[in-house]
Amino acid sequence: MITKSVDQPRRQTLGVCYYPEHWPEERWEIDARMMADAGISHVRIGEFAWSRLEPDPGQLTFDWMDRAIETLHRHGLRVVLGTPTATPPKWLVDSMPDMVALDREGRPRGFGSRRHYCFSHRGYQKECARIVTALARRYGQHAALAAWQTDNEYGCHDTVLSYSDAARTAFRDWLGQKYQSPDRLNRAWGNVFWSMEYRSFEEVDLPNLTVTEPNPSHLLDFHRFSSDQVCAFNKIQTDIIRAHSPGVPIAHNFMGRFLDFDHFAVSEELDIASWDSYPIGFLDRDTHNEENKKRYLGVGDPDNQAFHHDLYRACGQVRNGDAEGRWWVMEQQPGPVNWAPWNPAPWPGAVRLWAWEAFAAGAEVVSYFRWRQPSFAQEQMHEALLLPNAEPNEAYEACCRISKEFRAIGAVASPTRSDVALVFDYESAWAWKIQPQGRDFDYFDLVFRFYRALRRNGISIDVVPPRVEAIADRKLIVVPGLFAGSESIVEALGKSDATILLGPRTGSRSDDFQIAEGLPPGRFRSLIDMKIRRVESLPPIVDVPLQNGGSFDGWREFLVPGEGVEVARTSKDGHAAQLRSGRVSYLGGRPNDELALTIVGEMLAQAGVDAAPLPEGVRIRDNGNIRFVINYGNEAADVSALVAGRDLLIGQQPLAAREVLAFETLGS
Ligand code: GAL
């Protein structure tokens, strides 16, 4: 249920990820005091501690955890308790070696790091239920408990898809339920092609180790199944926790730019969506623009964090609606990380900028990963709030400053519903990964181009699932690359008063992954009378320049307008590039930055949304009555026009490099 959001102030706060089992017990007291001194209130513990919670089968040793929680509690700190199921201990794996996932080549994913399990393995699911029950019974009612975290980063290290026997058996069951008869499956997948027809579900294998590409419909169903397995695995834990720990919210920590399961679906069972934000670590994969990478090397892409904040805010609203929706940053980068191709240090101001950007987007908690840099094991080069010798590091000082600023700004509201919705869909990401048709066609990248263009126009955006309630009450709805589009969403778009921008590839396939009936954009032809007769993908050495500026790159479509549809844009080589029918437009290619900025600007104007392009590196986020202005750039920015003489709650104009300011938009 989505209700109109209210400006309900919530107190934002800081957190940290802590591993008491890594440090001598005498140290815990000092750590807890230092956390409290820095203004930290939430401490996540436990998510990798299985071998210490149960060193031998059935021998539960929770006494150290009791004492760790008591120590934190004594200092007024609140605990976020992680279930340890991302790291099954050695004895458990040895007791049922077939619980590990198999990779696409059929190789087992061995013990010695983490996430070495298959979501479909019944025996492992039972073991998880057992340890989670024990934890929930013991700590479920503890006064210090603020929230639970299930597992850790589902899918990290490419672990959603498993090609194990357990996965094969479960996949066959899933197909049986979906299709009821092999004949229906054969038709849906088009298995007459290359004699791929099955006589029973038992004959269907997993889509790996085929000679050439497997059937795309087979692959898409395997993605859907694998995503459902993540949901089911998570639900085993949330059901247990709700039974033993009533009223305590449950979170999971999602990742950035990770699409292998449907996060909206997993969020059905979560009270808090959270994600792990590593802006500098992600920069390398965020952009293929080398200039951008250089410019933002020590602060991260100016739109990447915000995109995920807006996406996970929507996830946090799935279960409880807009007004009650909750989201956090569960892990925030504090310094250089250890896992990117290169690991630069944050530039001055960056750590504080990230925190304020998250709070501006409605985060309740920004929690740093991690408290103290370990001198051992895999992540010894990952910085933390404390150095390995326990001296405070720079991010510790940043925490002290941010928590003082809370007093100046008061409680930040949860953002009001935006007039602008950008539709994001996990199935579409799978579909275009399965059949990109051009080597560099990437769904995330396509959606992100529109997001960036909206944000550069000074807009606060909601990134939403393709669900009817999520697109209600909007002025502009942007729908790039939605591969099929359900009947209900198309109908809701048809009834809405919003200005709508569709394409490219939107509506081009059926739910079963066949070319849309009557040609693309399939169901969306009820919104705009048109057809697409041909598409082409293009290598990066060429682009398709348009009349009046901008170009398509990598992808373009040949659009045929129907009755009453106008050609709003044309390519220089004489083809229709954008069609318009009243409030609905269709864009027939992947826009470069210039084109995206212009088109989005036109759409915002048509929709009656106030917008104006911002200087390079400057972004805004409106949150209730507070407007935040953020400068990702390397030089001071004159933002006096945005500030318009208002009193500043935090920060200063001109806005120095990597600084943030905020002011109230009402009252003056
Ligand atoms: C996250 C993970 C943490 C830690 C961190 C390092 O992906 O959840 O456990 O590994 O990365 O940046």
Side-chain angles (χ1 to χ4, degrees), residues 19 48 114 152-153 156 253 276 278 331 337-339 369 379 382:
Y19 300 91
F48 300 127
R114 60 180 173 184
N152 188 77
E153 290 192 340
C156 186
N253 56 335
D276 298 343
Y278 292 91
E331 296 180 13
V337 299
N338 63 310
W339 45 261
F369 184 88
E379 292 178 349
H382 194 298

PDB file of all heavy atoms in Angstrom, residues 19 48 114 152-153 156 253 276 278 331 337-339 369 379 382, ligand 1:
ATOM      1  N   TYR A  19      33.221  -5.894  14.937  1.00  0.00           N
ATOM      2  CA  TYR A  19      33.479  -7.337  15.050  1.00  0.00           C
ATOM      3  C   TYR A  19      34.162  -7.601  16.380  1.00  0.00           C
ATOM      4  O   TYR A  19      35.391  -7.760  16.428  1.00  0.00           O
ATOM      5  CB  TYR A  19      34.344  -7.806  13.855  1.00  0.00           C
ATOM      6  CG  TYR A  19      33.620  -7.517  12.555  1.00  0.00           C
ATOM      7  CD1 TYR A  19      33.813  -6.316  11.882  1.00  0.00           C
ATOM      8  CD2 TYR A  19      32.671  -8.411  12.074  1.00  0.00           C
ATOM      9  CE1 TYR A  19      33.089  -6.014  10.735  1.00  0.00           C
ATOM     10  CE2 TYR A  19      31.948  -8.117  10.919  1.00  0.00           C
ATOM     11  CZ  TYR A  19      32.161  -6.922  10.263  1.00  0.00           C
ATOM     12  OH  TYR A  19      31.442  -6.616   9.142  1.00  0.00           O
ATOM     13  N   PHE A  48      29.245 -12.390  10.571  1.00  0.00           N
ATOM     14  CA  PHE A  48      30.145 -13.442  10.072  1.00  0.00           C
ATOM     15  C   PHE A  48      30.638 -14.351  11.196  1.00  0.00           C
ATOM     16  O   PHE A  48      31.654 -15.024  11.042  1.00  0.00           O
ATOM     17  CB  PHE A  48      31.363 -12.820   9.365  1.00  0.00           C
ATOM     18  CG  PHE A  48      31.010 -11.954   8.176  1.00  0.00           C
ATOM     19  CD1 PHE A  48      31.483 -10.646   8.084  1.00  0.00           C
ATOM     20  CD2 PHE A  48      30.221 -12.438   7.142  1.00  0.00           C
ATOM     21  CE1 PHE A  48      31.172  -9.848   6.990  1.00  0.00           C
ATOM     22  CE2 PHE A  48      29.907 -11.642   6.040  1.00  0.00           C
ATOM     23  CZ  PHE A  48      30.377 -10.346   5.971  1.00  0.00           C
ATOM     24  N   ARG A 114      33.798 -16.647   1.748  1.00  0.00           N
ATOM     25  CA  ARG A 114      32.436 -16.535   2.267  1.00  0.00           C
ATOM     26  C   ARG A 114      31.431 -16.773   1.142  1.00  0.00           C
ATOM     27  O   ARG A 114      31.806 -16.888  -0.022  1.00  0.00           O
ATOM     28  CB  ARG A 114      32.215 -15.170   2.918  1.00  0.00           C
ATOM     29  CG  ARG A 114      32.413 -14.009   1.962  1.00  0.00           C
ATOM     30  CD  ARG A 114      32.171 -12.664   2.649  1.00  0.00           C
ATOM     31  NE  ARG A 114      32.526 -11.572   1.765  1.00  0.00           N
ATOM     32  CZ  ARG A 114      32.499 -10.293   2.099  1.00  0.00           C
ATOM     33  NH1 ARG A 114      32.113  -9.927   3.315  1.00  0.00           N
ATOM     34  NH2 ARG A 114      32.839  -9.351   1.247  1.00  0.00           N
ATOM     35  N   ASN A 152      24.222 -11.527   4.711  1.00  0.00           N
ATOM     36  CA  ASN A 152      25.013 -10.357   4.332  1.00  0.00           C
ATOM     37  C   ASN A 152      25.136 -10.302   2.819  1.00  0.00           C
ATOM     38  O   ASN A 152      25.601 -11.252   2.186  1.00  0.00           O
ATOM     39  CB  ASN A 152      26.418 -10.429   4.940  1.00  0.00           C
ATOM     40  CG  ASN A 152      27.192  -9.142   4.738  1.00  0.00           C
ATOM     41  OD1 ASN A 152      26.954  -8.161   5.436  1.00  0.00           O
ATOM     42  ND2 ASN A 152      28.094  -9.123   3.778  1.00  0.00           N
ATOM     43  N   GLU A 153      24.686  -9.207   2.256  1.00  0.00           N
ATOM     44  CA  GLU A 153      24.825  -8.961   0.813  1.00  0.00           C
ATOM     45  C   GLU A 153      24.527 -10.198  -0.037  1.00  0.00           C
ATOM     46  O   GLU A 153      25.421 -10.798  -0.651  1.00  0.00           O
ATOM     47  CB  GLU A 153      26.234  -8.451   0.491  1.00  0.00           C
ATOM     48  CG  GLU A 153      26.489  -7.057   1.000  1.00  0.00           C
ATOM     49  CD  GLU A 153      27.774  -6.435   0.444  1.00  0.00           C
ATOM     50  OE1 GLU A 153      28.649  -7.180  -0.028  1.00  0.00           O
ATOM     51  OE2 GLU A 153      27.881  -5.205   0.480  1.00  0.00           O
ATOM     52  N   CYS A 156      26.556 -11.327  -3.337  1.00  0.00           N
ATOM     53  CA  CYS A 156      27.923 -10.804  -3.464  1.00  0.00           C
ATOM     54  C   CYS A 156      28.839 -11.920  -3.977  1.00  0.00           C
ATOM     55  O   CYS A 156      28.631 -13.093  -3.670  1.00  0.00           O
ATOM     56  CB  CYS A 156      28.394 -10.304  -2.109  1.00  0.00           C
ATOM     57  SG  CYS A 156      29.984  -9.481  -2.193  1.00  0.00           S
ATOM     58  N   ASN A 253      21.262  -5.921   3.851  1.00  0.00           N
ATOM     59  CA  ASN A 253      22.145  -4.939   3.206  1.00  0.00           C
ATOM     60  C   ASN A 253      22.372  -5.313   1.739  1.00  0.00           C
ATOM     61  O   ASN A 253      23.093  -6.248   1.427  1.00  0.00           O
ATOM     62  CB  ASN A 253      23.464  -4.789   3.974  1.00  0.00           C
ATOM     63  CG  ASN A 253      24.222  -6.097   4.157  1.00  0.00           C
ATOM     64  OD1 ASN A 253      23.632  -7.180   4.151  1.00  0.00           O
ATOM     65  ND2 ASN A 253      25.524  -6.009   4.315  1.00  0.00           N
ATOM     66  N   ASP A 276      25.024  -0.950   0.818  1.00  0.00           N
ATOM     67  CA  ASP A 276      26.412  -0.757   1.181  1.00  0.00           C
ATOM     68  C   ASP A 276      27.062   0.148   0.144  1.00  0.00           C
ATOM     69  O   ASP A 276      27.203  -0.233  -1.025  1.00  0.00           O
ATOM     70  CB  ASP A 276      27.118  -2.113   1.275  1.00  0.00           C
ATOM     71  CG  ASP A 276      26.486  -2.981   2.367  1.00  0.00           C
ATOM     72  OD1 ASP A 276      25.762  -2.424   3.226  1.00  0.00           O
ATOM     73  OD2 ASP A 276      26.724  -4.204   2.369  1.00  0.00           O
ATOM     74  N   TYR A 278      29.963   2.342  -1.427  1.00  0.00           N
ATOM     75  CA  TYR A 278      31.419   2.507  -1.548  1.00  0.00           C
ATOM     76  C   TYR A 278      31.697   3.382  -2.766  1.00  0.00           C
ATOM     77  O   TYR A 278      32.092   2.888  -3.824  1.00  0.00           O
ATOM     78  CB  TYR A 278      32.090   1.132  -1.681  1.00  0.00           C
ATOM     79  CG  TYR A 278      31.979   0.336  -0.399  1.00  0.00           C
ATOM     80  CD1 TYR A 278      30.906  -0.536  -0.169  1.00  0.00           C
ATOM     81  CD2 TYR A 278      32.913   0.492   0.604  1.00  0.00           C
ATOM     82  CE1 TYR A 278      30.790  -1.235   1.028  1.00  0.00           C
ATOM     83  CE2 TYR A 278      32.808  -0.194   1.806  1.00  0.00           C
ATOM     84  CZ  TYR A 278      31.751  -1.059   2.007  1.00  0.00           C
ATOM     85  OH  TYR A 278      31.648  -1.741   3.195  1.00  0.00           O
ATOM     86  N   GLU A 331      26.507   0.006   5.224  1.00  0.00           N
ATOM     87  CA  GLU A 331      27.971   0.083   5.199  1.00  0.00           C
ATOM     88  C   GLU A 331      28.358   1.301   4.363  1.00  0.00           C
ATOM     89  O   GLU A 331      27.956   1.419   3.211  1.00  0.00           O
ATOM     90  CB  GLU A 331      28.579  -1.170   4.563  1.00  0.00           C
ATOM     91  CG  GLU A 331      28.303  -2.436   5.332  1.00  0.00           C
ATOM     92  CD  GLU A 331      28.917  -3.678   4.673  1.00  0.00           C
ATOM     93  OE1 GLU A 331      29.752  -3.528   3.759  1.00  0.00           O
ATOM     94  OE2 GLU A 331      28.538  -4.789   5.081  1.00  0.00           O
ATOM     95  N   VAL A 337      39.359   1.348   0.107  1.00  0.00           N
ATOM     96  CA  VAL A 337      38.921  -0.035   0.286  1.00  0.00           C
ATOM     97  C   VAL A 337      40.004  -0.947  -0.304  1.00  0.00           C
ATOM     98  O   VAL A 337      41.053  -0.478  -0.738  1.00  0.00           O
ATOM     99  CB  VAL A 337      37.532  -0.295  -0.343  1.00  0.00           C
ATOM    100  CG1 VAL A 337      36.490   0.574   0.318  1.00  0.00           C
ATOM    101  CG2 VAL A 337      37.543  -0.107  -1.860  1.00  0.00           C
ATOM    102  N   ASN A 338      39.752  -2.242  -0.295  1.00  0.00           N
ATOM    103  CA  ASN A 338      40.788  -3.180  -0.727  1.00  0.00           C
ATOM    104  C   ASN A 338      40.435  -3.915  -2.020  1.00  0.00           C
ATOM    105  O   ASN A 338      41.225  -4.681  -2.528  1.00  0.00           O
ATOM    106  CB  ASN A 338      40.997  -4.236   0.366  1.00  0.00           C
ATOM    107  CG  ASN A 338      39.730  -5.057   0.591  1.00  0.00           C
ATOM    108  OD1 ASN A 338      38.646  -4.505   0.762  1.00  0.00           O
ATOM    109  ND2 ASN A 338      39.851  -6.364   0.561  1.00  0.00           N
ATOM    110  N   TRP A 339      39.216  -3.674  -2.561  1.00  0.00           N
ATOM    111  CA  TRP A 339      38.737  -4.613  -3.576  1.00  0.00           C
ATOM    112  C   TRP A 339      38.553  -4.044  -4.975  1.00  0.00           C
ATOM    113  O   TRP A 339      38.249  -4.779  -5.897  1.00  0.00           O
ATOM    114  CB  TRP A 339      37.416  -5.240  -3.114  1.00  0.00           C
ATOM    115  CG  TRP A 339      36.426  -4.261  -2.533  1.00  0.00           C
ATOM    116  CD1 TRP A 339      36.218  -4.037  -1.203  1.00  0.00           C
ATOM    117  CD2 TRP A 339      35.551  -3.379  -3.229  1.00  0.00           C
ATOM    118  NE1 TRP A 339      35.251  -3.056  -1.031  1.00  0.00           N
ATOM    119  CE2 TRP A 339      34.823  -2.647  -2.256  1.00  0.00           C
ATOM    120  CE3 TRP A 339      35.298  -3.124  -4.579  1.00  0.00           C
ATOM    121  CZ2 TRP A 339      33.868  -1.674  -2.588  1.00  0.00           C
ATOM    122  CZ3 TRP A 339      34.349  -2.158  -4.921  1.00  0.00           C
ATOM    123  CH2 TRP A 339      33.651  -1.458  -3.917  1.00  0.00           C
ATOM    124  N   PHE A 369      31.608   1.094   7.543  1.00  0.00           N
ATOM    125  CA  PHE A 369      32.279  -0.202   7.524  1.00  0.00           C
ATOM    126  C   PHE A 369      33.769   0.068   7.585  1.00  0.00           C
ATOM    127  O   PHE A 369      34.335   0.549   6.631  1.00  0.00           O
ATOM    128  CB  PHE A 369      31.964  -0.994   6.259  1.00  0.00           C
ATOM    129  CG  PHE A 369      32.590  -2.359   6.317  1.00  0.00           C
ATOM    130  CD1 PHE A 369      31.902  -3.410   6.891  1.00  0.00           C
ATOM    131  CD2 PHE A 369      33.882  -2.574   5.855  1.00  0.00           C
ATOM    132  CE1 PHE A 369      32.494  -4.659   6.997  1.00  0.00           C
ATOM    133  CE2 PHE A 369      34.469  -3.826   5.966  1.00  0.00           C
ATOM    134  CZ  PHE A 369      33.772  -4.866   6.538  1.00  0.00           C
ATOM    135  N   GLU A 379      40.800  -8.495   4.478  1.00  0.00           N
ATOM    136  CA  GLU A 379      40.518  -7.060   4.333  1.00  0.00           C
ATOM    137  C   GLU A 379      41.484  -6.179   5.119  1.00  0.00           C
ATOM    138  O   GLU A 379      41.122  -5.095   5.558  1.00  0.00           O
ATOM    139  CB  GLU A 379      39.056  -6.799   4.695  1.00  0.00           C
ATOM    140  CG  GLU A 379      38.128  -7.431   3.669  1.00  0.00           C
ATOM    141  CD  GLU A 379      36.645  -7.275   3.957  1.00  0.00           C
ATOM    142  OE1 GLU A 379      36.290  -6.856   5.067  1.00  0.00           O
ATOM    143  OE2 GLU A 379      35.850  -7.601   3.049  1.00  0.00           O
ATOM    144  N   HIS A 382      41.756  -2.591   4.033  1.00  0.00           N
ATOM    145  CA  HIS A 382      40.519  -1.801   4.014  1.00  0.00           C
ATOM    146  C   HIS A 382      40.522  -0.868   5.210  1.00  0.00           C
ATOM    147  O   HIS A 382      40.541  -1.303   6.349  1.00  0.00           O
ATOM    148  CB  HIS A 382      39.332  -2.768   4.103  1.00  0.00           C
ATOM    149  CG  HIS A 382      38.016  -2.170   3.763  1.00  0.00           C
ATOM    150  ND1 HIS A 382      37.455  -1.142   4.480  1.00  0.00           N
ATOM    151  CD2 HIS A 382      37.129  -2.460   2.774  1.00  0.00           C
ATOM    152  CE1 HIS A 382      36.288  -0.845   3.949  1.00  0.00           C
ATOM    153  NE2 HIS A 382      36.072  -1.617   2.902  1.00  0.00           N
TER     154      HIS A 382
HETATM  155  C1  GAL B   1      30.961  -5.433   1.656  1.00  0.00           C
HETATM  156  C2  GAL B   1      30.744  -6.526   2.683  1.00  0.00           C
HETATM  157  C3  GAL B   1      31.613  -6.339   3.910  1.00  0.00           C
HETATM  158  C4  GAL B   1      33.015  -5.996   3.516  1.00  0.00           C
HETATM  159  C5  GAL B   1      32.991  -4.760   2.671  1.00  0.00           C
HETATM  160  C6  GAL B   1      34.374  -4.282   2.270  1.00  0.00           C
HETATM  161  O1  GAL B   1      30.684  -5.902   0.388  1.00  0.00           O
HETATM  162  O2  GAL B   1      29.406  -6.590   3.078  1.00  0.00           O
HETATM  163  O3  GAL B   1      31.587  -7.510   4.678  1.00  0.00           O
HETATM  164  O4  GAL B   1      33.575  -7.061   2.826  1.00  0.00           O
HETATM  165  O5  GAL B   1      32.283  -5.019   1.506  1.00  0.00           O
HETATM  166  O6  GAL B   1      34.285  -3.106   1.515  1.00  0.00           O
END
